[in-house]
Amino acid sequence: MRYRTIGIDPATRREVSVLSLGAMLFGTATDEATSYAILDRYVEAGGTFIDTSDNYAFWQNGGQGGESEELLGRWRRSRGIGAEVVIATKLGARPLAPGTSYVDNPEGLSAKVIREAAERSRERLGVDRLDLLYAHIEDRTVPLRETVEGFAELVGEGTVGLLGASNHRAWRVERARGIAAAAGLPGYEVLQYHRSYLPSRVDLPIELDPDGDVGWVGPDLASYLRAEPQLALVAYSPLLKGAYARPDRLGVEYDLPSTPARLAALRAVAAETGATVNQVVLAWLMGGDIPAIALVGASSVAQLDESLAAVDLALTAEQRARLDAAR
């Protein structure tokens, strides 16, 4: 396993594995025994960075969220897991009532919600301090200063370590960080967005691509990350839910003229290295010009093992250049 440091302040920064394990469906679609087996294998391989949210997975079996955190809490206690494993969680997108969603009825990012939701996450996870807490989605109904100060209060009290943002427009992240810096408060240091090898279309109506350019690393956010290298990028859904191995599963958002050429380049590099196309995607992502921590899901130990092997896959400069140039 390889590792990198996230965070700037020596009091809160952490060293984490470059491959993060997503626990979104643990405790719902992925049963407890399978979830435990995947988590055990991840830690055995040197993995130290697990991702969840207080709303995972509200869409499964009529739930409201919290099932993933609860499973992780049980697993931690059963295995004696302590501070050696960093668990990141998120708040702001948990539905307020069963049968609703984060689109029409989210908990939001008021100071009250931040405090109460963080406390419930700590209880479900069985920890005194949340290692990394993200603002999951934007909340334009609450003054940004209130959100910034609400998160900062928890850091000051020692119940939260690092702060992060996910699925926010780049200007909103920068404005929040500016508010925090001007007030001498801790701000966002970790950004979690969708990033993968295939670029996504930007012209789709919202009903076909609800996250649009908010949830993925587009040109504006890429430029921002290059200008602010102290920020850590955690890239979710890098494998497009298995679509690299099954291109027929690619959604309309990847219907671009460059897609066939980029898929062909992937297959060629995979053949040269003896790796799978998924492993090449992860190696490209983790070693790119915007180095990212790859956040992968797994519904079996075999799927996890495929991703773990990508950590040791070294692409040559020529291979990377071919992948980047494919149009």
Side-chain angles (χ1 to χ4, degrees), residues 9 40 49 61 91 120 122 230 262 298 304 306 313:
D9 187 337
D40 290 344
F49 196 15
N61 305 319
L91 57 79
R120 289 192 294 267
R122 290 198 308 273
Q230 75 276 20
R262 288 179 82 80
L304 175 62
E306 181 184 11
L313 176 60

Side-chain angles (χ1 to χ4, degrees), residues 30-47:
T30 306
D31 64 58
E32 188 143 333
T34 304
S35 300
Y36 277 34
I38 294 168
L39 288 161
D40 290 344
R41 172 66 184 125
Y42 177 69
V43 171
E44 176 189 20

Side-chain angles (χ1 to χ4, degrees), residues 166-281:
S166 180
N167 306 313
H168 286 50
R169 295 190 184 277
W171 71 265
R172 292 276 293 181
V173 173
E174 173 58 16
R175 183 167 294 179
R177 294 181 68 235
I179 291 171
L185 299 173
Y188 300 141
E189 297 182 64
V190 186
L191 305 184
Q192 185 179 127
Y193 289 79
H194 171 55
R195 182 166 170 80
S196 189
Y197 174 64
L198 288 182
S200 177
R201 289 171 58 182
V202 298
D203 61 335
L204 294 176
I206 192 167
E207 60 268 20
L208 294 179
D209 188 16
D211 289 331
D213 62 350
V214 178
W216 57 276
V217 180
D220 283 351
L221 188 58
S223 175
Y224 183 57
L225 287 163
R226 292 188 183 99
E228 301 287 341
Q230 75 276 20
L231 293 175
L233 172 64
V234 177
Y236 68 77
S237 298
L239 301 180
L240 307 184
K241 300 179 181 179
Y244 284 109
R246 289 283 305 277
D248 58 298
R249 296 180 178 176
L250 285 171
V252 65
E253 64 270 32
Y254 300 102
D255 184 14
L256 287 167
S258 63
T259 294
R262 288 179 82 80
L263 289 175
L266 268 183
R267 289 191 291 268
V269 172
E272 292 168 8
T273 59
T276 66
V277 290
N278 283 342
Q279 289 165 345
V280 174
V281 169

Side-chain angles (χ1 to χ4, degrees), residues 13-310:
R13 68 188 179 198
R14 299 296 301 272
E15 184 179 69
V16 297
S17 51
V18 296
L19 190 80
S20 177
L21 177 62
M24 177 188 287
L25 298 179
F26 290 178
T28 52
T30 306
D31 64 58
E32 188 143 333
T34 304
S35 300
Y36 277 34
I38 294 168
L39 288 161
D40 290 344
R41 172 66 184 125
Y42 177 69
V43 171
E44 176 189 20
T48 63
F49 196 15
I50 298 171
D51 184 86
T52 186
S53 172
D54 74 345
N55 75 340
Y56 292 164
F58 73 85
W59 56 93
Q60 294 285 331
N61 305 319
Q64 196 178 339
E67 296 87 355
S68 172
E69 290 180 329
E70 289 169 354
L71 182 138
L72 289 173
R74 293 192 297 273
W75 171 76
R76 287 185 68 259
R77 290 187 293 272
S78 71
R79 303 303 194 254
I81 297 293
E84 69 276 13
V85 173
V86 172
I87 297 181
T89 194
K90 315 175 195 71
L91 57 79
R94 182 182 170 100
L96 289 175
T100 62
S101 77
Y102 68 90
V103 175
D104 58 2
N105 195 26
E107 62 188 354
L109 295 174
S110 68
K112 180 176 185 293
V113 164
I114 290 169
R115 176 168 295 278
E116 293 176 354
E119 181 177 356
R120 289 192 294 267
S121 287
R122 290 198 308 273
E123 290 174 354
R124 286 189 288 263
L125 290 166
V127 297
D128 295 325
R129 183 171 88 159
L130 300 173
D131 299 314
L132 167 58
L133 181 61
Y134 293 99
H136 202 164
I137 57 174
E138 293 184 2
D139 182 359
R140 303 280 183 104
T141 70
V142 171
L144 194 52
R145 180 175 298 278
E146 178 181 340
T147 297
V148 169
E149 292 175 349
F151 278 116
E153 283 183 7
L154 300 186
V155 176
E157 293 167 6
T159 56
V160 171
L162 290 166
L163 297 174
S166 180
N167 306 313
H168 286 50
R169 295 190 184 277
W171 71 265
R172 292 276 293 181
V173 173
E174 173 58 16
R175 183 167 294 179
R177 294 181 68 235
I179 291 171
L185 299 173
Y188 300 141
E189 297 182 64
V190 186
L191 305 184
Q192 185 179 127
Y193 289 79
H194 171 55
R195 182 166 170 80
S196 189
Y197 174 64
L198 288 182
S200 177
R201 289 171 58 182
V202 298
D203 61 335
L204 294 176
I206 192 167
E207 60 268 20
L208 294 179
D209 188 16
D211 289 331
D213 62 350
V214 178
W216 57 276
V217 180
D220 283 351
L221 188 58
S223 175
Y224 183 57
L225 287 163
R226 292 188 183 99
E228 301 287 341
Q230 75 276 20
L231 293 175
L233 172 64
V234 177
Y236 68 77
S237 298
L239 301 180
L240 307 184
K241 300 179 181 179
Y244 284 109
R246 289 283 305 277
D248 58 298
R249 296 180 178 176
L250 285 171
V252 65
E253 64 270 32
Y254 300 102
D255 184 14
L256 287 167
S258 63
T259 294
R262 288 179 82 80
L263 289 175
L266 268 183
R267 289 191 291 268
V269 172
E272 292 168 8
T273 59
T276 66
V277 290
N278 283 342
Q279 289 165 345
V280 174
V281 169
L282 293 176
W284 174 86
L285 182 67
M286 291 184 285
D289 66 320
I290 302 174
I293 294 169
L295 172 55
V296 298
S299 58
S300 69
V301 172
Q303 285 184 353
L304 175 62
D305 280 339
E306 181 184 11
S307 295
L308 287 168

